[in-house]
Amino acid sequence: MPRRHDPERRQRIIDAAIRVVGRQGIAGLSHRTVAAEADVPLGSTTYHFATLDELLVAALRQANEANEGFAKVVAAHPELADPEADVDLAGELARVLGEWLGGDRTGVELEYELYLAALRRPALRPVAAEWAEGVGALLAARTDAVTARALVAVLDGICLQVLLTDSVYDEGYAREVLARVLG
């Protein structure tokens, strides 16, 4: 039987992996669950991604590049990186973070679940680091490299607190903490 040409299959598998992780978490991810979600034979998932880590790397990279990802949201606000912009950086970062956290919560949770998976899966670490480095590089144009890294750490911490405690995002608190980092 001739092999069916399906150039979109790899992408459908990645999209299916993201949906599975979004619904069931990383613990629910297997080649079998992804194959069922993508409606492809099990062998297709292992053909394109020999290991689950390879599939998770592709999913994390796609989540990082998605329009909803925090790095993309920050990049969509050029005044955050413009040293000539006359905006309150702490206030603007707090506002943008609030917009992102107030948007598609499933997307935010998915991004962080994939990001935190790098703790136990070393193959994911370089891709997870790209997120922090990307936001840091944007903010370094406005501040300096050390301050930018500190801002990213604070933003990360606030996001984790909101997600893990299921609390309401407090923009005033975020603005105050970010302003203290900016000195």
Side-chain angles (χ1 to χ4, degrees), residues 6 8-16 19 38-40:
D6 186 356
E8 302 300 317
R9 184 171 290 189
R10 184 178 191 282
Q11 184 59 50
R12 285 200 328 270
I13 292 168
I14 295 169
D15 293 341
R19 288 192 303 273
D39 195 25
V40 300

Side-chain angles (χ1 to χ4, degrees), residues 2 11 48 66 72 79 84 90 141 143 145 177:
Q11 184 59 50
H48 289 286
K72 292 285 185 175
E79 67 278 6
E84 304 299 318
T143 62
V177 172

Side-chain angles (χ1 to χ4, degrees), residues 72-160:
K72 292 285 185 175
V73 171
V74 170
H77 292 83
E79 67 278 6
L80 294 174
D82 182 0
E84 304 299 318
D86 186 27
V87 296
D88 169 28
L89 183 57
E92 193 62 14
L93 276 173
R95 186 188 67 72
V96 169
L97 184 61
E99 266 180 30
W100 185 63
L101 287 170
D104 175 25
R105 184 68 172 238
T106 302
V108 172
E109 290 172 357
L110 173 65
E111 185 169 334
Y112 265 89
E113 181 153 11
L114 291 169
Y115 180 62
L116 291 173
L119 287 172
R120 300 274 184 218
R121 295 173 181 253
L124 298 178
R125 289 180 186 157
V127 184
E130 289 173 12
W131 178 89
E133 291 166 0
V135 175
L138 288 168
L139 296 177
R142 180 74 187 266
T143 62
D144 60 77
V146 172
T147 303
R149 285 181 62 196
L151 289 170
V152 170
V154 167
L155 293 166
D156 242 352
I158 291 171
C159 286
L160 283 171

Side-chain angles (χ1 to χ4, degrees), residues 154-170:
V154 167
L155 293 166
D156 242 352
I158 291 171
C159 286
L160 283 171
Q161 287 178 357
V162 169
L163 292 172
L164 295 175
T165 63
D166 204 26
S167 59
V168 175
Y169 173 69
D170 183 345

Side-chain angles (χ1 to χ4, degrees), residues 10-11 13-15 17-18 48-49 52-65 114 124 127:
R10 184 178 191 282
Q11 184 59 50
I13 292 168
I14 295 169
D15 293 341
I18 290 172
H48 289 286
F49 303 98
L52 285 178
D53 280 353
E54 286 180 20
L55 181 53
L56 279 169
V57 165
L60 179 56
R61 191 169 304 283
Q62 182 166 308
N64 278 350
E65 293 170 358
L114 291 169
L124 298 178
V127 184

